[in-house]
Amino acid sequence: MAGHGHGGHGHGHSCGCEGQHDPAERGLEFGLYQKIDLEKLQCLNESREGAGKLVFKPWEERRDREKFVESDDDEELLFNIPFTGSVKLKGVILIGDDDDSHPAEMRLYKNCTHMSFDDTAREPDQVFRLNRDPSGELEYPTKYAVLPALYKIKRESITPPV
């Protein structure tokens, strides 16, 4: 990973200055897009087959509103997101519309192979109360942990941009 400068010295992501990077710098340097196994990613309850895979994008394409996912039957989507190796998930950014279609909550589950909606009855590893964020400015910090190659994210009330 590319380093960045602080006071005349450069260093990578293990710099010890947690929270001091601006969002653009963090996204470029720490993005997990390349670590997601898109071929194995699953989105349950999507209205268009394969649309769930399209919402995971490189940092520089994050505001591309042409690619979105919406639920078919109810207001819940469930993503099974496999990684190609262990990752450190430090934060999550969720972009949605500035209306009632924006998700209100996101739940993270880890270590559940092929998770289904029935599995969401168990306690999530972390719950986020979401604010409307049409421009992707808000980053929700996670409970810092090294995650194995498989991680599940349940997002509620995801609908397309207007």
Side-chain angles (χ1 to χ4, degrees):
M1 291 188 171
H4 60 277
H6 282 270
H9 67 280
H11 47 85
H13 72 279
S14 58
C15 65
C17 56
E18 299 297 323
Q20 295 179 12
H21 303 271
D22 73 33
E25 187 176 290
R26 282 193 308 270
L28 285 171
E29 189 168 352
F30 303 117
L32 293 179
Y33 176 74
Q34 293 180 343
K35 301 281 187 180
I36 296 173
D37 187 342
L38 289 172
E39 291 299 314
K40 295 179 183 173
L41 187 142
Q42 295 177 318
C43 179
L44 304 183
N45 213 29
E46 62 190 346
S47 64
R48 282 183 301 128
E49 183 76 26
K53 292 180 180 187
L54 302 177
V55 299
F56 295 92
K57 307 167 192 167
W59 178 256
E60 59 276 1
E61 295 176 23
R62 71 191 180 284
R63 292 191 176 116
D64 176 358
R65 309 224 2 131
E66 297 296 318
K67 299 174 186 174
F68 60 88
V69 63
E70 64 183 332
S71 177
D72 62 356
D73 293 326
D74 57 32
E75 295 183 343
E76 292 188 339
L77 292 167
L78 190 141
F79 289 87
N80 287 299
I81 306 169
F83 295 109
T84 58
S86 293
V87 299
K88 295 178 184 177
L89 184 64
K90 296 181 179 186
V92 176
I93 296 174
L94 190 139
I95 299 173
D97 286 333
D98 194 12
D99 61 21
D100 290 339
S101 69
H102 193 287
E105 182 177 271
M106 179 174 56
R107 300 177 203 162
L108 298 182
Y109 298 84
K110 63 181 180 180
N111 301 330
C112 291
T113 306
H114 299 97
M115 189 170 182
S116 71
F117 282 104
D118 291 337
D119 298 317
T120 64
R122 78 176 187 112
E123 188 71 24
D125 291 285
Q126 189 166 0
V127 177
F128 299 90
R129 303 287 178 239
L130 303 174
N131 295 305
R132 291 180 184 173
D133 186 18
S135 59
E137 300 297 322
L138 300 176
E139 182 175 336
Y140 298 93
T142 59
K143 296 176 184 175
Y144 187 77
V146 175
L147 303 177
L150 191 61
Y151 203 69
K152 313 299 181 208
I153 298 181
K154 180 182 179 191
R155 296 159 103 180
E156 296 191 359
S157 188
I158 310 274
T159 56
V162 178

